[in-house]
Amino acid sequence: MLGKKLGDKKISVKIFKKNNFREKSINIRVLSSSTPKLLTYRVINEYPHDLNSYTQGLEFYNNRLFESIGLRGKSALKEIEFKSGEVIRNLPIDDTYFAEGITLFDKKIYQLTWQSKIGFIYDLESFELIDSFQYGKSIEGWGLCNDGNLIYKSDGTSKIWIIDPASLEEIDFIQVTTNKS
């Protein structure tokens, strides 16, 4: 199964006889052949942080800390001096949105909203809203990250959606599995 996508699959068979056919389908789940590795961590430093911030997204970029704060009526995009906890910039988000994950890509900040199926794009340096984008295949907006080529989006399910940065469309997904589920 090397190179094949894991997760839930549908297998269908069509049986043809003269001009008629019957179709039979079953659902299967393809699991990973690898056991997940348990990772450990060690705290090497601690920094102050606003305990009232409902952190939904957090990303370091060039020694700068960017944070997306959630909750309707309290959502914001912030740049924070991480060593002191001082807020350098604070951009409140419209009260109708519950801000979620962020990622920085190509000198822009991409920010999701939870259930509104919309994302926002800001200029990294000015914090000005450049554009917005819709997501229609995934259920909700949770977390974002990127690998320098593609953007990855979680939606609260076992799917990690792959977003094309040029079109901002969800072009595919990875279904997260282990060797048991």
Side-chain angles (χ1 to χ4, degrees):
M1 293 301 300
L2 190 60
K4 303 292 180 189
K5 288 180 77 169
L6 302 176
D8 297 329
K9 307 292 175 199
K10 182 177 183 178
I11 297 176
S12 297
V13 173
K14 290 184 180 179
I15 303 167
F16 291 90
K17 185 176 182 182
K18 296 188 181 182
N19 292 335
N20 295 323
F21 73 90
R22 288 189 308 180
E23 184 172 3
K24 206 65 156 159
S25 298
I26 61 167
N27 295 317
I28 64 166
R29 180 167 289 160
V30 180
L31 301 177
S32 174
S33 60
S34 303
T35 303
K37 294 178 185 174
L38 292 178
L39 303 176
T40 60
Y41 67 92
R42 180 174 54 94
V43 175
I44 56 173
N45 214 333
E46 292 184 28
Y47 298 102
H49 184 264
D50 180 358
L51 296 178
N52 293 317
S53 289
Y54 196 64
T55 304
Q56 298 298 307
L58 198 62
E59 190 160 331
F60 275 97
Y61 177 79
N62 286 344
N63 217 21
R64 298 159 68 186
L65 178 62
F66 296 88
E67 183 176 17
S68 178
I69 308 299
L71 295 178
R72 278 188 181 65
K74 296 183 180 180
S75 290
L77 177 63
K78 295 182 179 183
E79 181 178 359
I80 299 165
E81 203 304 308
F82 72 92
K83 289 183 181 176
S84 68
E86 177 188 342
V87 176
I88 298 169
R89 293 188 285 183
N90 179 30
L91 177 65
I93 307 302
D94 186 282
D95 287 354
T96 58
Y97 298 111
F98 187 120
E100 282 281 347
I102 58 170
T103 195
L104 281 71
F105 183 87
D106 196 25
K107 298 182 181 175
K108 297 177 196 124
I109 303 170
Y110 294 78
Q111 182 182 44
L112 296 176
T113 60
W114 178 32
Q115 297 175 321
S116 301
K117 291 190 168 272
I118 190 169
F120 300 112
I121 305 169
Y122 306 92
D123 178 80
L124 174 63
E125 297 308 325
S126 70
F127 257 40
E128 288 182 24
L129 181 65
I130 299 171
D131 206 352
S132 64
F133 61 99
Q134 299 282 324
Y135 38 94
K137 294 180 183 177
S138 58
I139 294 175
E140 296 176 341
W142 283 39
L144 277 179
C145 68
N146 75 82
D147 64 5
N149 294 309
L150 296 169
I151 297 173
Y152 300 89
K153 174 186 170 295
S154 64
D155 69 351
T157 69
S158 64
K159 293 180 180 175
I160 303 294
W161 291 89
I162 301 169
I163 298 175
D164 175 5
S167 67
L168 296 171
E169 290 184 36
E170 296 164 318
I171 56 174
D172 202 358
F173 65 87
I174 302 162
Q175 190 165 9
V176 179
T177 66
T178 69
N179 61 323
K180 296 182 180 177
S181 64

